[in-house]
Amino acid sequence: MDMMVILLSLGVSFILAVLFGPLFIPLLRRLKFGQQIRTDGPQSHLKKSGTPTMGGIIIMLALLITFIKFAEISSEFWVLLTASLGFGIVGFLDDYIKIVFKRSLGLTARQKLVGQLIFSVIVCWQLYNMGHSTELLIPGTTAGIDLGWFYYPFVVIIMFAASNSVNFTDGVDGLLAGTSAIAFGAFTIIALKVVEYDAAIFSASMVGAVLGFLVYNAHPAKVFMGDMGSLGIGGGIAAVAILTKTELLLILIGGVFVLEMLSVIIQVTSFKLRKKRVFKMSPIHHHFELSGWSEWKVVTVFWSVGLLLAIIGLMFIL
């Protein structure tokens, strides 16, 4: 594939996201689509109450337009769209309920679970119909394990884990936009290496979209992406890992997301079993905030960790 197409995908999606910002941010503000801030969180976040959310529409629109323009219509094309837009729709409903009905938690856990399950099953059906390999490759080796029919429940687990861990990461200005740009940048290179061109174009388009969104989401944020953005990003990165047969490598390249999810699991488990908290607050980025780190320090340290993990992940492929 011409590298120019990859660069164009990244550049066009970036420009579109930057152009969409001044269009959608005032609209979201007029519609009073403001963020409801948790009162039990860092007190410095309370001043963010009312900041427009649902900015994920900027990311998803820039991604969608660019991907349709440059990608080939293929089975992989539909898997990527189903995963990203499907999970983005679940996130949109969650955001809408939070804002319109003033419910800080949005969809119930069961409702969100059902929505994610529906689109995960559709992705599994698409993978089955396209004859996608059910072999699980071991990173850094030529070995693999054929999971057979068990591969499809594994896909569902990947979709759930990726989308929710990415969702947990969205809590500090610019944190998720930057870490996801790094992860998708790594997957752009991987997709090119394994000749999955639609996945490469999708990943490059996502890099551009989230970096364009970062123009408005960097501290102090003028807009938040909301669950529409974070779940859409999570579903998309899971789909890219699945199509490139780097499902296990996602754990490393998306290590920051994994850390965020583990911190929540550890915190909840510890409190239920011992009535004690391990962290001052979870996800773990809030722990560091409450420990005295500025938002910018949290973001730059997490970006740096994400970049290091992405580089290590690429070493298994290149």
Side-chain angles (χ1 to χ4, degrees), residues 117-140:
L117 181 61
I118 289 171
F119 288 106
S120 296
V121 169
I122 294 173
V123 167
C124 288
W125 176 75
Q126 291 172 319
L127 293 172
Y128 173 76
N129 282 340
M130 64 186 275
H132 186 69
S133 171
T134 56
E135 186 177 25
L136 185 64
L137 301 180
I138 309 302

Side-chain angles (χ1 to χ4, degrees), residues 12 20 23 29 32 65 84 87 89 93 98 122 135 146 153 173 186-187 270 275 282-283 301 316:
V12 169
F20 288 154
L23 296 176
R29 189 176 290 115
K32 300 188 185 301
I65 293 171
S84 57
F87 276 67
I89 288 170
L93 293 174
K98 287 177 184 176
I122 294 173
E135 186 177 25
D146 193 344
D173 296 353
F187 275 110
S270 176
K275 302 301 179 184
S282 66
V301 169
F316 283 93

Side-chain angles (χ1 to χ4, degrees), residues 6 58 70 121 148 157 317:
I6 297 298
I58 295 171
F70 292 104
V121 169
I157 292 171
I317 297 293

Side-chain angles (χ1 to χ4, degrees), residues 7-29:
L7 295 176
L8 278 172
S9 300
L10 194 158
V12 169
S13 61
F14 174 81
I15 292 170
L16 286 175
V18 171
L19 292 176
F20 288 154
L23 296 176
F24 284 101
I25 294 174
L27 175 61
L28 293 171
R29 189 176 290 115

Side-chain angles (χ1 to χ4, degrees), residues 159-310:
M159 301 284 290
F160 271 80
S163 60
N164 288 297
S165 60
V166 168
N167 183 240
F168 286 138
T169 308
D170 185 29
V172 179
D173 296 353
L175 177 58
L176 178 54
T179 50
S180 61
I182 292 167
F184 274 108
F187 275 110
T188 301
I189 297 171
I190 290 172
L192 285 172
K193 177 70 175 179
V194 301
V195 199
E196 279 289 346
Y197 293 140
D198 275 354
I201 292 172
F202 178 90
S203 297
S205 300
M206 186 67 90
V207 172
V210 295
L211 287 179
F213 179 77
L214 184 58
V215 171
Y216 306 104
N217 185 238
H219 185 72
K222 298 179 179 65
V223 64
F224 301 135
M225 69 172 68
D227 283 3
M228 181 181 185
S230 60
L231 291 182
I233 289 170
I237 202 168
V240 171
I242 290 164
L243 290 175
T244 55
K245 303 305 298 177
T246 52
E247 299 95 338
L248 294 179
L249 205 54
L250 175 58
I251 298 172
L252 179 59
I253 294 175
V256 170
F257 311 139
V258 174
L259 176 64
E260 296 275 16
M261 181 172 66
L262 285 177
S263 70
V264 173
I265 294 172
I266 291 169
Q267 185 86 324
V268 172
T269 302
S270 176
F271 189 75
K272 284 187 175 181
L273 296 180
R274 303 166 55 238
K275 302 301 179 184
K276 292 183 179 180
R277 292 180 172 86
V278 176
F279 307 105
K280 294 181 179 180
M281 185 178 177
S282 66
I284 198 169
H285 56 258
H286 289 318
H287 170 81
F288 290 110
E289 280 191 281
L290 293 174
S291 297
W293 288 24
S294 67
E295 280 197 52
W296 184 240
K297 182 177 180 180
V298 171
V299 169
T300 53
V301 169
F302 277 53
W303 283 359
S304 300
V305 172
L307 180 60
L308 177 62
L309 293 173

Side-chain angles (χ1 to χ4, degrees), residues 56-164:
I57 191 171
I58 295 171
I59 297 172
M60 301 311 291
L61 270 180
L63 168 72
L64 179 63
I65 293 171
T66 307
F67 186 50
I68 291 175
K69 169 63 178 177
F70 292 104
E72 296 289 336
I73 305 299
S74 64
S75 299
E76 290 81 5
F77 173 91
W78 293 112
V79 168
L80 291 161
L81 278 191
T82 300
S84 57
L85 294 186
F87 276 67
I89 288 170
V90 175
F92 170 82
L93 293 174
D94 191 43
D95 288 335
Y96 187 81
I97 291 171
K98 287 177 184 176
I99 295 163
V100 175
F101 297 100
K102 307 300 181 184
R103 280 172 43 185
S104 62
L105 295 179
L107 291 172
T108 65
R110 179 175 295 181
Q111 290 169 337
K112 190 179 290 187
L113 184 72
V114 170
Q116 291 172 316
L117 181 61
I118 289 171
F119 288 106
S120 296
V121 169
I122 294 173
V123 167
C124 288
W125 176 75
Q126 291 172 319
L127 293 172
Y128 173 76
N129 282 340
M130 64 186 275
H132 186 69
S133 171
T134 56
E135 186 177 25
L136 185 64
L137 301 180
I138 309 302
T141 74
T142 57
I145 304 169
D146 193 344
L147 299 180
W149 280 100
F150 290 105
Y151 180 75
Y152 299 105
F154 180 68
V155 165
V156 173
I157 292 171
I158 293 172
M159 301 284 290
F160 271 80
S163 60
N164 288 297

